[in-house]
Structure formats: C-alpha cells, structure tokens
Amino acid sequence: MAMSEEVNSAREAMLYNQRIAHLSKALWKAVEKDWQSWIKPFDLNINEHHVLSIASRLQGASISDIAKFGVMHVSTAFNFSKNLEERGLLSFSKRDDDKRNTYVEITKKGEDLLKEIDNNFVKNKHAVLEGSQPLKDMYGQFPQFLDLLAVIRNVYGNDFMEIFEKTFNIEE
C-alpha cells in the first residue's frame, strides 16, 4: 500500500469515527431530553428507569446481565439496582448454584410503576419520534436502522442483539 493510500485510509477512518460520534451524540441528547421529560413525574432518573425496564424484560437477570444489556459498568448497574431495591421496586437474591452473582427480580410495585410510566407516554412530546414521523408517513414504518444494527452486532456481539430483538419485539 502506498503512503498516500495509508494517509487517506487513516483520514477516512478518523472522519468516519468523528461523524459517528457527532451524530450519535446529537441523537443521544434528543433521546435523553425526551426520556427525562417522560419519566420526570415518577421520581426516576434515566439509569433507574433503564435498569427497571431491563429487569422487567429479562426476568431473573444478574447484575452482570443488566450491565451488559444496559451498556453500563457493573458498578453502575449495581448502584442503581440498589436504589431501586431500597424503594421496593426490585428485589435481590443469590442462587444456590451461583453464589457469586447477584440476581434481581422486579417487584409488583416495580411492575405497577412501569405500567404507569408506559401509560403516561405522550407521543407528541418526543422530538425523536416527531423527527421520525415524516419517514413513517412516507414509507409506512419507522426507520429500521439496518446498517446501525449491523454495526452494533459487530461491536457488542450476537448475544446482545438476541436480547435486544427478544426484548423489543413490538408484537407483545
């Protein structure tokens, strides 16, 4: 490979990384604002809501499972789970065959809170949803992000994507 091709490849890679970084940050800021506004009346922060939702979908998940699927450090998953346990929304347990891992179960109170939060979703107060609506109107469905899903699969692996696809199945 010629020196100019290596420089162009490095520059192309750098620009690609920067473009992904800027686009993902812009999208995350909009998602974060929408998410915070949605859950604010329920005295939860985004991490707590995320942990609670994951615990509901992955019934009997370990803290490690929640961290992996929630894309957070294990200590973050544990600390927010502990906060939720103190509020009676999650319960902790150990298993006879696995004393090293801590497992969480969502409580009835936690499930009831999630249902109340879901019922409080107002679709016209979400910038990302509103920004996607013209595409749904034009194509009859929301964007599927197939390229993005392929990138995430390559970064986080098949296990992550299998859980993602199972837990976010629209036909529920």
Side-chain angles (χ1 to χ4, degrees):
M1 183 183 286
M3 183 64 153
S4 64
E5 288 176 357
E6 287 178 27
V7 170
N8 285 339
S9 313
R11 179 158 174 74
E12 183 181 18
M14 178 197 65
L15 290 173
Y16 175 78
N17 275 356
Q18 287 182 337
R19 189 172 190 202
I20 291 293
H22 288 285
L23 288 171
S24 61
K25 183 166 180 155
L27 182 58
W28 171 246
K29 289 307 285 181
V31 167
E32 183 180 43
K33 184 178 177 187
D34 289 350
W35 198 348
Q36 285 174 334
S37 139
W38 174 34
I39 64 173
K40 184 178 181 178
F42 302 96
D43 193 31
L44 290 175
N45 64 41
I46 288 174
N47 283 322
E48 290 168 335
H49 183 244
H50 198 45
V51 167
L52 199 59
S53 296
I54 293 167
S56 176
R57 293 178 180 275
L58 299 182
Q59 298 169 354
S62 69
I63 293 290
S64 297
D65 293 336
I66 289 175
K68 181 179 179 182
F69 188 62
V71 192
M72 60 183 78
H73 193 274
V74 173
S75 65
T76 302
F78 179 80
N79 291 335
F80 284 107
S81 295
K82 193 73 179 154
N83 293 347
L84 294 166
E85 182 200 32
E86 290 169 4
R87 293 175 58 186
L89 303 171
L90 289 180
S91 64
F92 281 30
S93 65
K94 295 280 187 183
R95 294 193 178 152
D96 290 338
D97 62 337
D98 184 7
K99 297 288 186 192
R100 291 182 297 152
N101 285 313
T102 301
Y103 292 86
V104 296
E105 290 277 347
I106 191 165
T107 63
K108 170 92 169 81
K109 182 178 176 183
E111 285 288 358
D112 290 346
L113 179 61
L114 277 181
K115 285 178 187 165
E116 187 179 352
I117 291 170
D118 287 352
N119 290 337
N120 193 54
F121 185 84
V122 179
K123 70 179 188 174
N124 64 352
K125 291 188 177 184
H126 297 271
V128 174
L129 188 61
E130 288 180 38
S132 301
Q133 191 63 49
L135 293 167
K136 184 175 187 211
D137 294 343
M138 185 180 301
Y139 299 112
Q141 65 182 21
F142 285 113
Q144 299 299 300
F145 304 110
L146 297 177
D147 291 345
L148 183 57
L149 290 171
V151 171
I152 297 298
R153 181 181 302 277
N154 289 334
V155 171
Y156 288 102
N158 287 333
D159 290 349
F160 180 90
M161 291 309 299
E162 286 171 14
I163 292 170
F164 177 85
E165 290 164 2
K166 180 175 77 176
T167 59
F168 289 102
N169 185 353
I170 300 272
E171 282 85 42
E172 290 181 354

